[in-house]
Amino acid sequence: QEAWSANGLSLVPEKLLHDVLEASAEDMDAELVPQIVSMQEMAGGTPRQYVAFVSTYRRIFTEKREQLLEQISFLQAGLNKLGEAEAKVDELSQQAGKQRSLLGEKQAQAEQALQQITVAMQRASSSKTEVEVLQKKLAEEEVQLNSRKGSVELELADVEPLVAQAKKAVGSIKSDNINEIRSLKMPPDAIRDVLEGVLVIMGNPDTSWNNMKKFLGSRQVKDELINFDARKITAGIRNAVNKLLTQKAQSFEHQVIYRVSVAAAPLAAWVKANVKFSMVLEKIEPLEEELSMLQSSLDQSKARLIQCEDDLRTLDEQVTTLKDDFGSKTRETETLKMSLKSATDQLEAAESLLSKLGGEKGRWEEQVRALEQSLLELPLNSLVSSGFITYLAQAPEETRRKQVESWCKAINLHEFSFTQFMSSESEMLKWKAEGLPSDGLSMENAVILLKSIQVPYIIDPSTKATQWLK
């Protein structure tokens, strides 16, 4: 005992009963740890007995709580069933009233279903007609579209290879050749003419030699030329470059410019190809616009056709569903007459059963209240019972009685019976039948023997306890 500090005495139940203390707190607002410590100090138990006391409390509380909760749950389930039965009676009563008015409603619904079938079939007929018209229109539009595509592709057939070849040549220009041009203080006229054409096409009006060198010095110069979109060439730019190509035609001749600069030759071809490509694009622009309009119209027609086909399938399904619904509502009229009689019979039987179970419901509710009260008192009853088993096993009856009274007063427990809490009438009757003496001390000892987690020491001169244990 001296080895245990006050803090140590509190830590033992806090550690061993962490989850049990939480459950206890749900059932009653009690400080169990101080009460456990108080009972240990009052009993003057050893550390080993203290641990056994706490462990016994854990087992008794857990087992008893599970039993009480199971009994409450069982009774509550019965009460719930009675409540469901009462609700069912109300439901049956309402159903009987509804079914009386439902007979007329079903006939009206059947008539309405017939009208819906007629409307749906008319809509289906209209959708079928529209689908046929759209299919014919689609065929005509596809013919026109393919015709315009052929015209556009024919116009582009000659110039696109030239542009592709020029872009490929630009991509093969070596950086050394570009740097060679940039290193010139005064470039030859042919190089200046070609670079002027490039800058003008790119939309750069500054054709000074410094700006040309700056353009060539860009890291993305070849990518800009390869990815250039000829649609950006306006009529004014094209006219300016055409004028340059006419006035400086020799500068753009491949043999001439190639002798002057290996890097400038692909640029000259690029200028001429893009000017020609721009002219073709301008020429086919109306065709492309017409092609775009035809494609848009074709897409709209296809979308509308898909929608109409979907609508038609939906309408067919709707007609089938409506016909089934019509047949169902016709059958329901007769079924409702039989159902009404069945509901009336069930209502009478349920009302008769509830009147017989009225007293049983009150008895169950009272039992639930008593069990809930036992659940509230469970932590303290389990505490005294654990102390009884741990500390009072070897004590005589009078010592047991006084110690229990002291504990009950200390923890504010008003009524306590060790054997009634730890056992039942049927269990004690069974023990008597097995040869156990019927006095209170023998019954208490029997409980201690069965519930103790420590090995008990038995003094049995009459051998009755030994025979009972066998």
Side-chain angles (χ1 to χ4, degrees), residues 40-58:
Q40 159 69 3
E41 292 174 342
M42 291 172 69
T46 65
R48 184 175 182 179
Q49 285 180 314
Y50 186 45
V51 173
F53 171 42
V54 174
S55 300
T56 302
Y57 173 79
R58 176 187 181 88

Side-chain angles (χ1 to χ4, degrees), residues 3-21:
W4 294 77
S5 65
N7 185 46
L9 286 172
S10 297
L11 282 176
V12 171
E14 287 175 359
K15 295 295 183 182
L16 295 180
L17 304 177
H18 176 70
D19 54 334
V20 175
L21 291 173

Side-chain angles (χ1 to χ4, degrees), residues 226-260:
I226 291 171
N227 297 323
F228 179 73
D229 185 1
R231 288 178 175 81
K232 294 180 180 180
I233 301 175
T234 64
I237 290 175
R238 187 171 58 250
N239 291 335
V241 177
N242 275 330
K243 183 178 179 181
L244 179 64
L245 290 172
T246 302
Q247 293 176 351
K248 307 288 185 175
Q250 190 172 3
S251 298
F252 289 89
E253 292 293 333
H254 179 73
Q255 296 298 331
V256 174
I257 191 63
Y258 188 78
R259 286 196 301 270
V260 177

